[in-house]
Amino acid sequence: MSWNTFGRAFRFTTWGESHGPALGVVVDGCPPGLMLDEAAIQPFLDARRPGQSKFTTQRQEADQVRILSGVFEGRTTGTPISLMIENTDQRSKDYSEIAKAYRPGHADYAYDAKYGVRDYRGGGRSSARETAARVAAGAIARLAIPEVEVLAYVSEIGGDAIDHANFDAAEIANNPFFCPDAEAAKRWEALVDDARKAGSSLGAVVECVAKGVPAGWGAPVYAKLDSDLAAAMMTINATKGVEIGDGFAAARLSGEENADEMRSGEGAGPEFLANHSGGVAGGISTGQPVVCRVAFKPTSSILTPRKSVTSDGEETEVRTKGRHDPCVGIRGAPVVEAMMALVLADHKLLHRAQCG
Amino acid sequence: MSWNTFGRAFRFTTWGESHGPALGVVVDGCPPGLMLDEAAIQPFLDARRPGQSKFTTQRQEADQVRILSGVFEGRTTGTPISLMIENTDQRSKDYSEIAKAYRPGHADYAYDAKYGVRDYRGGGRSSARETAARVAAGAIARLAIPEVEVLAYVSEIGGDAIDHANFDAAEIANNPFFCPDAEAAKRWEALVDDARKAGSSLGAVVECVAKGVPAGWGAPVYAKLDSDLAAAMMTINATKGVEIGDGFAAARLSGEENADEMRSGEGAGPEFLANHSGGVAGGISTGQPVVCRVAFKPTSSILTPRKSVTSDGEETEVRTKGRHDPCVGIRGAPVVEAMMALVLADHKLLHRAQCG
Amino acid sequence: MSWNTFGRAFRFTTWGESHGPALGVVVDGCPPGLMLDEAAIQPFLDARRPGQSKFTTQRQEADQVRILSGVFEGRTTGTPISLMIENTDQRSKDYSEIAKAYRPGHADYAYDAKYGVRDYRGGGRSSARETAARVAAGAIARLAIPEVEVLAYVSEIGGDAIDHANFDAAEIANNPFFCPDAEAAKRWEALVDDARKAGSSLGAVVECVAKGVPAGWGAPVYAKLDSDLAAAMMTINATKGVEIGDGFAAARLSGEENADEMRSGEGAGPEFLANHSGGVAGGISTGQPVVCRVAFKPTSSILTPRKSVTSDGEETEVRTKGRHDPCVGIRGAPVVEAMMALVLADHKLLHRAQCG
Amino acid sequence: MSWNTFGRAFRFTTWGESHGPALGVVVDGCPPGLMLDEAAIQPFLDARRPGQSKFTTQRQEADQVRILSGVFEGRTTGTPISLMIENTDQRSKDYSEIAKAYRPGHADYAYDAKYGVRDYRGGGRSSARETAARVAAGAIARLAIPEVEVLAYVSEIGGDAIDHANFDAAEIANNPFFCPDAEAAKRWEALVDDARKAGSSLGAVVECVAKGVPAGWGAPVYAKLDSDLAAAMMTINATKGVEIGDGFAAARLSGEENADEMRSGEGAGPEFLANHSGGVAGGISTGQPVVCRVAFKPTSSILTPRKSVTSDGEETEVRTKGRHDPCVGIRGAPVVEAMMALVLADHKLLHRAQCG
């Protein structure tokens, strides 16, 4: 897990910038013999794809994935799987203005301070376009954990949360917000549209639940399943917080309330009477659903002018005119889902390395 | 970062169980030439040490650290630094009851499901005693980042938060709660004492601020400073959530509110007008204070009986009678502080590896 | 360093099979600000390129490299550099025979035993075509260590060694054998041609010398410079042995003979009177030239039939009719050179991580 | 595999200096449920222990190992196993002379150049005493690979090789040289004794054979079994060369000679008619014995004076008067054996991670 690689046993390395010719990912350590072709990956990329509604950026990218290695006669061979997605709509435009000004909320200044050089076109490597590569890798991770069902959805936009009583998984694909609550989705249409028209932007919270994870994945102390999930989620652009199970709310419970009591189960392990822990105890899965929640800040690229400086130290104002998501958290849902699958695939392999 | 090792360049590996003869840590990759002896480490262990007030476990541990390697004539040599802390108060008692019953909220069942064997004495490896080893390692990390000042404190217990207007760093050492708000500390005395007497327990939130971190530490995309911080914090026992900067609150801000505007600074970089980002943008430090917040669940070991099962599948009730912290988050403050120092030391080294 | 990634700080990940659409490499951790374009890489690929004389395989590959990321306005940005080389001469032919028979000396059976599936076209991932990706990565590594001059050459073919008294670096590019001894090169023409005509093949030894490596790169105990070099060289196809400095010959010297005596030097460190150690002591560079030697077995693909079995367990005979190098070690020279540069670049970065 | 840690899945980290209070190792990733106590480790340490004949150093070390964690009720728990060995005979003596002079052939100058500080007492971290920690770790690795039998022995001292026709495994424990050829052992007595009396030293070659390794361990391209073995062996003090199978001799064979032909086998895979490859093809085990050979240079510490310089740049002569092995390769045999076991245990775990 360093620089641009994530994972220990099921590992992936992404590359590519927002406005370069292409981006991609190399997946290494994938089990052999899995059925894999582009069609198994494309639907996940399509879900994340921009330009599909007025609530996401109008950048038009086909996001067609191409498998360049690691698959033979329709099956993974155990050797590295190289995936490439060409950038097709990296509009050539005049960057002279943005080239010098540091956009507030963006990584522009931090990159310059670190590297002394940066690709200012669309944020370069710091662009959320990189997440397409993860989503592609995540599609492969899913194949490695057929016993697990992973589902992510947006649970809150601009402070307006879904009502879990209205939860309907089937609803998620029915609206442009990955929202499982039809009523909330309706409210969000106005909310996001208003923000967009006002040249503003909104934050969001994405929830992710993985069902079918057997007890025993994860490891003490620095390979904890929840620690790896937190790391994974915090690598996604615009994320500022992660919760496992009850998260910060757990800090407000009493010990009695928080205890996940058990009774005799019908299956291999005990039956839990609650899941405050979010399916992880001591860094190891308990067999309950693994639950995590991720906070996305509002999109930093807004039309409203903000004070800033240039790389020469001149004061200036920045308005980001380009095509941007009014709520970057929306398209975060497929990315959170992919990261959950990737972490779980990694831990499945790690578990059988040590425990057979 | 795997199993019991954390870090990429400044790495540490911990070992030891709650009731074994000792616990320890091997710190590898530490720069040579740093002045180091036991006296530079001991104060941090003393701050974390149990048994110092009625608000923490009554287990009495001297927590005397011993340096076994890597230091010569008072200076680090660049070779691995081995630290050992002997366990002195691992009371011999009858574990026959607990040996089979899975304590709710604990990792007992998860460990058994994973390994098929577990050291049930005090939770074995899953005990928070392991954090003594991190605190010792953290003391060395501080020496490697003399330009940085790291401070952690408890900002909330049982839902009762400090008032940041009352913040006084000097107050932190004046009460048994690492609380920077004297009034809150007073309220917490009653709060925690009540929980303790009721056989219950409380959760807490710990905040940590690192000042003096220069712009440029961290790296895209999977070695982000904030991702590593999230991972680090989520490896601490009983943690369920991590926030960087505004965290989940950022998801409720507008883009204009959340933007950290800049103006011409007097130093090397721009001056920021706000720090919603918590000192990290695109995974790289901005030169502002690095801010993180960690949620601790209430201590799982409580006197109040909870339903559970045994490893044989028999239903039972568990009351944890031993010596336990009524609010494990309190002693989490020195551990959070240590982890912040450890992550920053690692990123300082990583930064100069790539960028000279 | 796992699976298809090599290096700790300067890391690269290769992908691709002999008969897939392309192969490539992602270089991660490269310092920013280095001047880089395809023209800086291509000459090294051209040197390794097949089909340039009758002494190497007649496969015709342009081996044109394309930079897909990590470079902006002619400079490295510090983000991952993705390089791709398309396969253009992966002849479509009838593989039905070879698809089942395990070629002796090749990895066919081992791959099948491991993965239960394999890409039999040209050896798939086990083909030496993968080394093109390393050579491309090596060209970037050289840019990161401008203070070092790396040179590899063939010192022995089929047991016929060069005379070091005839050593002329300028000669290396003058013959198809990377041979620094003009007379040996002449003898090898006949030697290799005879083997080729006889449907046989020959082994070789490649030597590599790196001048300009400062004292202090490397690290005890498991990141030793010589250990990493040994690992690097043994990842090259067909290698069976590695020596540092005097290597096995050192095992036949007395302690007096082997001691590299020192006297007062003019530069920073002492002047050494000998270099039996090959520039490494205790895993750390001494400032003398780093010297290593690599043994390549004879090409396993030969026209002479050899006994084998099929994946069904049937006995058979295998003659490898395709286009093959009569002495695979010849084209090993640019690969050894690349690996030396890659290991040194990695250790330069590791050294400054720890020691500033 | 960085700094003082080796291995990917079965990992160990060593610490300690020649003249510090103790040395040790933390083994991480070990499978749970293995029967382990000190008695399972001690015999391997006893075999490596110094002071047992006049052919090894007269330093007297009990080398008593103590298990500090990771074992409960006689079984490994899957958590880190910490082993400690106290140094008991680190004679206090006057180091003022050696403190400044760089001993030729030793790492003294290299350490100083790297770290700017070094523990000059007995070489500090660069001392071969560190290998005691590996031997202890190797004893645990053996438990994780009960299907494999690993055997190392000295095959050559001072250029005088054993006759493989006289090979008798039972003989290895019958002489102070780990020599499987009784006649060679007799010759070596005189050879080594002469060198010792002359204040000189000798090099050696150690061979190691692992039987029972199933086909399929290892992985392309940078986690090759032979690459990891080469790395492992070259981390041992005083090693200068590694060969797998025929090694450098393979470079002198023809393709026909070198091919390991196969016929229909009785077991799972084919039966090989030769083992030039040393049990590894394409980086993956073939099911044949894994064979490797390691060259040890002559001990650098000799009584005969050698020219050198001090850290102040003054010219001087160095005679190493202490207690030293006249042939350090002899005690290398148990260390080579341990490293083979450690690499194989790691690859067993890695294989089942990916391939189930």
Side-chain angles (χ1 to χ4, degrees), chain D residues 162-169 171 180-184 187:
Chain D
I162 61 167
D163 180 346
H164 277 86
N166 295 341
F167 186 96
D168 179 0
E171 199 59 36
D181 170 352
E183 288 180 32
R187 297 194 307 268

Side-chain angles (χ1 to χ4, degrees), chain B residues 39-333:
Chain B
I41 302 173
Q42 198 61 48
F44 298 97
L45 283 168
D46 290 347
R48 194 211 71 100
R49 197 150 57 88
Q52 303 189 88
S53 80
K54 64 180 171 183
F55 307 109
T56 60
T57 169
Q58 294 309 298
R59 178 170 174 166
Q60 294 294 336
E61 286 291 351
D63 278 354
Q64 286 294 320
V65 68
R66 198 173 153 216
I67 299 175
L68 295 175
S69 69
V71 177
F72 182 61
E73 297 180 341
R75 291 182 177 276
T76 59
T77 60
T79 61
I81 304 167
S82 176
L83 305 178
M84 185 167 71
I85 298 163
E86 288 184 58
N87 285 327
T88 55
D89 189 20
Q90 70 278 39
R91 284 194 201 164
S92 156
K93 68 168 190 180
D94 184 4
Y95 285 103
S96 55
E97 196 183 339
I98 211 174
K100 294 193 124 192
Y102 297 133
R103 295 168 301 160
H106 277 286
D108 297 355
Y109 168 64
Y111 265 63
D112 237 4
K114 181 174 192 68
Y115 297 119
V117 53
R118 75 188 161 94
D119 178 350
Y120 43 75
R121 301 164 310 163
R125 180 71 181 151
S126 73
S127 164
R129 256 203 81 59
E130 185 270 346
T131 60
R134 310 172 184 226
V135 168
I140 299 177
R142 283 167 190 270
L143 302 176
I145 48 167
E147 63 272 60
V148 178
E149 186 194 339
V150 185
L151 190 68
Y153 47 89
V154 179
S155 65
E156 183 183 318
I157 290 184
D160 181 8
I162 62 167
D163 181 346
H164 277 87
N166 295 341
F167 187 96
D168 180 359
E171 200 59 38
I172 295 171
N174 281 345
N175 60 69
F177 304 109
F178 301 98
C179 179
D181 170 352
E183 289 181 31
K186 237 174 268 168
R187 298 194 306 270
W188 294 352
E189 285 207 21
L191 192 66
V192 178
D193 211 35
D194 286 355
R196 186 177 63 81
K197 287 176 185 158
S200 182
S201 64
L202 297 168
V205 175
V206 173
E207 276 182 18
C208 187
V209 179
K211 291 180 182 165
V213 178
W217 292 2
V221 176
Y222 301 111
K224 282 182 167 165
L225 180 57
D226 39 357
S227 168
D228 278 7
L229 280 173
M233 298 308 166
M234 289 293 260
T235 65
I236 304 173
N237 307 56
T239 55
K240 301 305 289 183
V242 184
E243 296 183 314
I244 305 293
D246 282 6
F248 278 84
R252 283 129 211 174
L253 297 177
S254 70
E256 301 91 283
E257 293 164 335
N258 186 63
D260 292 334
E261 294 184 299
M262 290 166 262
R263 67 176 173 203
S264 210
E266 290 178 21
E271 184 186 335
F272 286 88
L273 307 180
N275 188 18
H276 297 285
S277 75
V280 190
I284 299 172
S285 60
T286 62
Q288 290 192 285
V290 175
V291 180
C292 104
R293 209 166 295 102
V294 185
F296 287 80
K297 67 180 183 183
T299 315
S300 296
S301 300
I302 50 177
L303 269 166
T304 311
R306 296 281 92 183
K307 288 181 198 144
S308 189
V309 298
T310 67
S311 50
D312 301 330
E314 302 290 309
E315 301 203 337
T316 183
E317 283 211 328
V318 175
R319 284 180 66 208
T320 316
K321 279 164 274 179
R323 306 153 297 168
H324 296 286
D325 290 279
C327 173
V328 76
I330 296 172
R331 291 202 297 131

